[in-house]
Amino acid sequence: MDTSGPVPPTRRLSTGEREQAIDRSAPVLPPALEIDENNYFENNAPPEYLDELARQCEEFVKMHGTGRIVLVTSGGTTVPLENQTVRFIDNFSAGTRGATSAEYFLENGYAVIFLHRQFSLLPYSRHYSHSTNCFLDFMEENDGQVVVSQQYQQQMRTVLRKYRAAKDRNQLLLLPFTTINQYLHTLRTVSVILQSAGPRALFYLAAAVSDFFIPPSRIPEHKIQSKAGGNKLIMDLDPVPKFLNRLVERWAPGAMIISFKLETDSEILISKARQALERYSHQLVIGNLLQTRKNEIVFVEPEVPETWIRLSDEQIKDGTEIESLIIPATIERHTAWIEQSK
Ligand code: 9Z3
């Protein structure tokens, strides 16, 4: 094939250096002020189901009286490009961190509000739902009865018992989101409801949250059309206000707040985590790198050196989940938080 001729117009690709793809000289967005909060929530309508979620959440918090409650956020938020959405920008996250962490919190007696991206991994069902095996591969027919295959019996019995125990005690409340707007409205509503739990409330913000969105005034109603000849789609996104300090100061004062910091460059992980801690004045940032997130994470806390949590080679081999180490270390800090709040 002759490749020396000109590239046909429809195949022409943009050229340029990857390093220059993003303007890194742009200033970092300051934490949101009250006026930014009012502007955002007045101009971005709440999801119509929000009152029903609030009702469920209030009932759940009341039911768990004097016990500990954790809000786990999990999965990625989306940014719709159209009001009647065909296309959207997504954020990376399968929901593994959130769903796995939720299980260890439940085992440690916490009531868990699981604010998750709809259809991402859920506690317990995660062992089967998104597996490379279809769930039917775990089953077989025995004298006309559908049963779990012998080789999966033991593991499934263990998972089933834990799931039933959590369900029987009404320990788990599932609240879904899809878009960044649904996430922010629900987060604020749940946070305010959790105020009544004071320091017993723990926020474990593992969801991967969009940094940019299209405000309602600029979002087209219908599907964006492409034209013959390959016109470009140029997007103009606004930054999502940084609400973490509003959460710390106004939405959930008294609660212990943990955010996650995700990076791909190991050189900047600690400094970015420290920066977040200083800007938002919360209690703990858990740093992780995309490439190694299942095997190592780092706790970054005010005034003390970083603490790494790493799986040993042995633990990696035997399938130990890093969340089984993260959650006890987190709970230790939450206990200290409750003590010092007395
Ligand atoms: C995380 O860093 C989570 O640990 C992961 C989990 C998204 C990496 P998976 O669901 O992945 O197990 O596949 N979450 C926080 C990501 C994030 O958006 N952080 C913001 C940031 O890094 C702060 S809120 O700036």
Side-chain angles (χ1 to χ4, degrees), residues 214-276:
I214 306 181
S217 58
R218 293 212 304 271
I219 198 157
E221 178 63 21
H222 291 289
K223 182 179 170 236
I224 298 167
Q225 299 295 311
S226 61
K227 302 209 176 72
N231 56 329
K232 283 191 180 186
L233 174 62
I234 296 171
M235 285 188 268
D236 180 13
L237 306 179
D238 278 6
V240 173
K242 299 282 181 197
F243 285 126
L244 191 49
N245 66 310
R246 301 297 297 163
L247 174 71
V248 174
E249 287 169 20
R250 293 303 169 104
W251 305 352
M256 177 170 173
I257 294 171
I258 304 172
S259 71
F260 275 73
K261 173 57 69 185
L262 174 63
E263 291 297 342
T264 52
D265 179 354
S266 62
E267 297 287 309
I268 62 170
L269 179 63
I270 305 275
S271 61
K272 297 291 277 196
R274 284 243 168 255
Q275 201 180 70

Side-chain angles (χ1 to χ4, degrees), residues 97 204 260-270 285-300 306-313 315-316 320-327:
R97 175 80 77 225
Y204 185 88
F260 275 73
K261 173 57 69 185
L262 174 63
E263 291 297 342
T264 52
D265 179 354
S266 62
E267 297 287 309
I268 62 170
L269 179 63
I270 305 275
V285 176
I286 302 182
N288 54 177
L289 292 169
L290 185 67
Q291 309 86 314
T292 55
R293 70 192 188 284
K294 290 183 198 269
N295 297 336
E296 62 175 22
I297 60 92
V298 59
F299 275 27
V300 179
E306 298 81 57
T307 314
W308 283 92
I309 295 182
R310 291 194 172 93
L311 292 178
S312 65
D313 290 345
Q315 288 172 316
I316 292 174
T320 303
E321 295 174 310
I322 194 161
E323 291 77 7
S324 70
L325 308 179
I326 300 175
I327 302 311

Side-chain angles (χ1 to χ4, degrees), residues 75-92:
T77 60
T78 68
V79 174
L81 301 187
E82 300 129 343
N83 197 26
Q84 298 192 34
T85 310
V86 176
R87 278 79 162 240
F88 54 87
I89 303 174
D90 208 347
N91 251 58
F92 167 86

Side-chain angles (χ1 to χ4, degrees), residues 1 6-14 229-230:
M1 188 169 73
V7 180
T10 51
R11 299 279 317 283
R12 194 174 293 138
L13 300 174
S14 301

Side-chain angles (χ1 to χ4, degrees), residues 12 35 39 43 59 66 107 109 131 134 213 217 240 287 334:
R12 194 174 293 138
I35 187 167
N39 267 340
N43 290 314
E59 200 178 298
T66 55
E107 272 176 43
S131 137
C134 158
F213 78 122
S217 58
V240 173
H334 189 207

Side-chain angles (χ1 to χ4, degrees), residues 54-90:
R55 193 195 58 71
Q56 291 176 20
C57 191
E58 270 162 12
E59 200 178 298
F60 187 78
V61 172
K62 212 179 286 166
M63 189 189 335
H64 290 284
T66 55
R68 295 186 187 195
I69 303 192
V70 61
L71 172 71
V72 175
T73 70
S74 182
T77 60
T78 68
V79 174
L81 301 187
E82 300 129 343
N83 197 26
Q84 298 192 34
T85 310
V86 176
R87 278 79 162 240
F88 54 87
I89 303 174
D90 208 347

